[in-house]
Amino acid sequence: MIKEIATQDTFLVRNLVLRPGKPVETCFFDGDNLEQTKHFGYFDNGKIMGVVSIYKNKNVIFKFPNQYQIRGMAILEEFQGEGCGKLLVKHCEDYLTNNGANLIWFNARETAVTFYEKLGYTKNGFPFVITDVGIHFLMFKNL
């Protein structure tokens, strides 16, 4: 089951998956508490398995007026490969389509590019490094 969650409910999963060994404070992202930001969690038997957040954020590379960014996509290791990541992304797409978004974009870790390509996302430009995190690609999908 996917449901909307509070910002702080994303921190445990973000910390374990995206910022292992780093202080939990590194799991708070700019824009987390803005009204238009939404956080979703995937639950099974009351246990959170994964999280994703969407932010109204324009990337100047794209000319679409109503853009959103996905950030903090994280599935606990023991649940990876079971399809909950795909369901979370699809939930974001449906939510944003219903709210008039034109485009979703994000910075995907190199290890996640194939996952997103299978969901119809396209790489844009060259790989780049996010300090202390690793190699990323800008990816997007028109809605």
Side-chain angles (χ1 to χ4, degrees), residues 1-16:
M1 171 178 67
I2 295 172
K3 64 180 182 178
E4 189 171 342
I5 59 176
T7 302
Q8 62 270 20
D9 295 335
T10 67
F11 294 163
L12 174 65
V13 179
R14 285 180 183 177
N15 194 230
L16 291 171

Side-chain angles (χ1 to χ4, degrees), residues 8-29:
Q8 62 270 20
D9 295 335
T10 67
F11 294 163
L12 174 65
V13 179
R14 285 180 183 177
N15 194 230
L16 291 171
V17 178
L18 303 176
R19 304 285 193 267
K22 295 185 177 154
V24 74
E25 293 79 25
T26 65
C27 297
F28 179 82
F29 301 152

Side-chain angles (χ1 to χ4, degrees), residues 70 88-98 104 119 121 141 143:
I70 287 178
L88 276 169
V89 171
K90 178 72 173 129
H91 183 82
C92 290
E93 292 174 358
D94 292 345
Y95 176 86
L96 292 173
T97 297
N98 291 334
I104 297 175
L119 297 177
Y121 289 84
K141 184 177 191 178
L143 296 176

Side-chain angles (χ1 to χ4, degrees), residues 24 26 38 43 57 62 67 80 84 92 95 103 118 127 132:
V24 74
T26 65
K38 300 294 179 195
F43 293 82
N57 190 13
F62 305 110
Q67 301 178 25
Q80 291 177 7
C84 50
C92 290
Y95 176 86
L103 179 125
K118 289 178 183 175
D132 295 328

